[in-house]
Amino acid sequence: MRFNIILRYIGLTLLLNALFMLLSAGISLINNTDTAFYPLLLSFILTTVLGAFPLIFVERGEQITSKEGYVIVVGAWLVSCFAGMLPYLLWGGEFSLANAWFESVSGYTTTGSTILNDVEAVPRGLLFWRSSTHWLGGVGVVMFALVVLPSLGRTKLTLSSVELSPLAKDNFRYRTQKTYQILLMVYVGMTIVCTVLLKLAGMNWFDSVNHAFATIATGGFSTKNLSIAYYNNVWIEIILIVFMAASSIHFGVIFATLAGKKNNIFRSEISRYFLITLGIGTLFIALSLWREGTYPTFMSSLRYGLFQLVTVASTTGFATADTTLWTPLAIIILLLFSLQCACAGSTGGGIKCDRVLLSMKVIRARLLQQQHPNAIIRIKLNNVIQDNDFVNFAMLFIVLYLLLLGVGTILLTACGVDLMTSFSALVASMGNVGPGFGQVGSMDNYSGLSGFVKFVCTMYMLLGRLEIFGLIQLFLIKWWR
């Protein structure tokens, strides 16, 4: 394995991070050179030097092996998270070493959990950097794996398999280079449109950009302590609901819908399943909240129930209500959607709707096989027959996902964290959702957890963002031989 070549391409991602640090420093400069200017400027210089060094002294390799591809992608995520800590550490405030690492990983993995007790006390330059880590993390599959390294032959397939869910590839019906352009076009286009609409709905330009970054990346970092509840604006909530839901759907399907293609949202089995389950879940939550008197009217219950369910299912993590005070039924539904989350090919995390729907089809096929032992039953997803190995891998992923949650819950409860907080924090971390329940509810944060518990949560964030196997590969000794 050629570590010099690996460092060269990881350096490219550091330069990309450095560019956004410079933009953030510019925001600080515009805002009367706030206290984040020099930390951001120094971070920019350090990150640029670290990123440029291997590019200058290491020659470009003609081809990269599969193992090198895995190390490049995973290494780029880890190094970006370490570089992302620098502005926080240099600024100080609530950012201890553990807190800076937590905030950085939460940003890049688009989890949106925070340790900040007073977000509004943070200068604008640092808030913009915080939101930028969301946008970089959400577009990681686009900007790095599918744009920076598209011409490396077979390696692009390996990079895609690490960062992009294998389920997502079936929904792209374009040439590889066209796929890269579509992802970038949809991502940037939705960010711009969301920004403009939020401004028209009542946000200032700074808040509009930050919340658009968090929405399209399905991240959840807000510039306000009360998150979206601060605005108490129905139009802002409607805009965010639409864009959070859209960002949860396969970007190729969104492009096909806008382009008038046949494989659009309405014809996609997975998209229909996602939207229908959202509707059913919202109805049950609204009825539960209305019946128990949590909100005075059914419409107000519907308003808050819909927003919170979409923000959880999309793994965005904004808040308009304290869901820890909701009914047990509403909490269970939110937890179930925190496990399932969005569709493959989107910026959302979790098990993915594709795998959940596929598992239902596997159960149905098994029941039919029991009734008709000699029948040959094919499992289809979006009218495409799924290979047995692919189906088995998806089922293995679900089992391993749930197993890791069980092990992590035991570990956190052993550290003295209550059961609800332990389980929901890990579900929210691994699904890149953000808010959980108990001590880490939608109107709370993760600051009260110990440094070790925060570290465990960040490892689960990375496991979820890299689809488990991408990160685990690095710790298998035989794999390196």
Side-chain angles (χ1 to χ4, degrees), residues 397-474:
F397 180 91
I398 294 175
V399 171
L400 184 56
Y401 193 99
L402 297 176
L403 179 62
L404 286 171
L405 287 178
V407 172
T409 301
I410 294 173
L411 180 61
L412 262 59
T413 52
C415 294
V417 183
D418 67 89
L419 182 59
M420 177 57 83
T421 300
S422 298
F423 179 69
S424 64
L426 289 176
V427 169
S429 296
M430 197 163 183
N432 304 138
V433 175
F437 295 94
Q439 297 179 41
V440 294
S442 56
M443 289 297 177
D444 294 303
N445 56 61
Y446 286 65
S447 62
L449 303 178
S450 68
F452 176 75
V453 172
K454 291 174 185 172
F455 176 76
V456 172
C457 287
T458 58
M459 290 299 101
Y460 273 72
M461 293 176 195
L462 289 167
L463 279 170
R465 188 63 181 82
L466 293 170
E467 297 269 292
I468 300 177
F469 293 98
L471 186 61
I472 288 179
Q473 288 257 66
L474 295 184

Side-chain angles (χ1 to χ4, degrees), residues 79-393:
V79 170
S80 292
C81 290
F82 278 110
M85 295 171 58
L86 292 175
Y88 300 134
L89 286 172
L90 293 174
W91 183 74
E94 295 184 66
F95 293 112
S96 61
L97 181 62
N99 286 350
W101 169 252
F102 184 94
E103 202 78 6
S104 180
V105 175
S106 180
Y108 280 104
T109 58
T110 70
T111 303
S113 305
T114 184
I115 52 80
L116 291 172
N117 289 299
D118 190 359
V119 175
E120 296 171 35
V122 177
R124 282 195 165 190
L126 201 60
L127 286 177
F128 184 80
W129 167 246
R130 188 167 168 260
S131 298
S132 296
T133 60
H134 266 348
W135 203 75
L136 286 169
V139 78
V141 60
V142 180
M143 193 64 72
F144 182 65
L146 302 182
V147 175
V148 178
L149 304 172
S151 60
L152 298 176
R154 296 188 306 265
T155 304
K156 63 178 178 288
L157 300 176
T158 301
L159 296 175
S160 297
S161 67
V162 176
E163 277 208 283
L164 182 64
S165 171
L167 291 162
K169 301 171 189 175
D170 292 337
N171 289 303
F172 281 114
R173 301 181 181 181
Y174 311 95
R175 291 178 293 105
T176 303
Q177 189 59 37
K178 183 69 172 177
T179 297
Y180 307 152
Q181 296 170 2
I182 288 171
L183 286 167
L184 189 59
M185 186 188 311
V186 173
Y187 194 84
V188 175
M190 288 175 62
T191 303
I192 294 172
V193 174
C194 185
T195 299
V196 174
L197 290 177
L198 288 175
K199 176 64 174 68
L200 293 175
M203 286 188 182
N204 59 47
W205 279 114
F206 180 77
D207 286 353
S208 297
V209 171
N210 281 271
H211 285 95
F213 277 10
T215 301
I216 307 306
T218 60
F221 279 157
S222 177
T223 56
K224 304 298 181 183
N225 291 329
L226 295 177
S227 189
I228 305 304
Y230 169 87
Y231 301 97
N232 192 26
N233 185 315
V234 175
W235 288 109
I236 288 176
E237 293 171 23
I238 291 173
I239 292 168
L240 292 177
I241 287 171
V242 171
F243 279 93
M244 286 190 294
S247 300
S248 306
I249 296 172
H250 194 288
F251 279 8
V253 175
I254 293 176
F255 176 81
T257 304
L258 296 174
K261 304 290 184 180
K262 291 183 178 180
N263 57 321
N264 54 46
I265 292 175
F266 309 102
R267 297 173 70 95
S268 169
E269 182 181 16
I270 297 165
S271 299
R272 291 200 308 268
Y273 166 79
F274 174 69
L275 295 174
I276 290 172
T277 54
L278 271 184
I280 295 173
T282 298
L283 182 60
F284 274 100
I285 289 177
L287 288 172
S288 175
L289 296 176
W290 180 45
R291 181 186 175 188
E292 294 296 322
T294 306
Y295 298 103
T297 65
F298 176 75
M299 290 307 296
S300 60
S301 299
L302 185 64
R303 171 188 173 182
Y304 292 106
L306 175 60
F307 187 91
Q308 290 304 137
L309 184 61
V310 173
T311 197
V312 164
S314 65
T315 74
T316 307
F318 287 139
T320 57
D322 188 352
T323 55
T324 58
L325 303 177
W326 282 10
T327 64
L329 176 60
I331 290 174
I332 290 173
I333 293 173
L334 290 175
L335 281 172
L336 289 175
F337 275 87
S338 296
L339 289 168
Q340 174 184 273
C341 298
C343 306
S346 69
T347 54
I351 293 174
K352 302 283 195 308
C353 287
D354 311 55
R355 291 192 181 95
V356 174
L357 184 58
L358 188 61
S359 67
M360 294 179 183
K361 289 177 176 288
V362 169
I363 294 171
R364 177 178 176 274
R366 183 58 186 170
L367 291 173
L368 289 174
Q369 194 74 59
Q370 290 284 92
Q371 297 170 16
H372 309 283
N374 297 324
I376 298 176
I377 301 171
R378 303 292 186 186
I379 297 175
K380 292 183 179 181
L381 200 61
N382 271 341
N383 292 320
V384 176
I385 296 176
Q386 303 298 313
D387 181 77
N388 287 335
D389 289 339
F390 182 79
V391 173
N392 292 336
F393 183 77

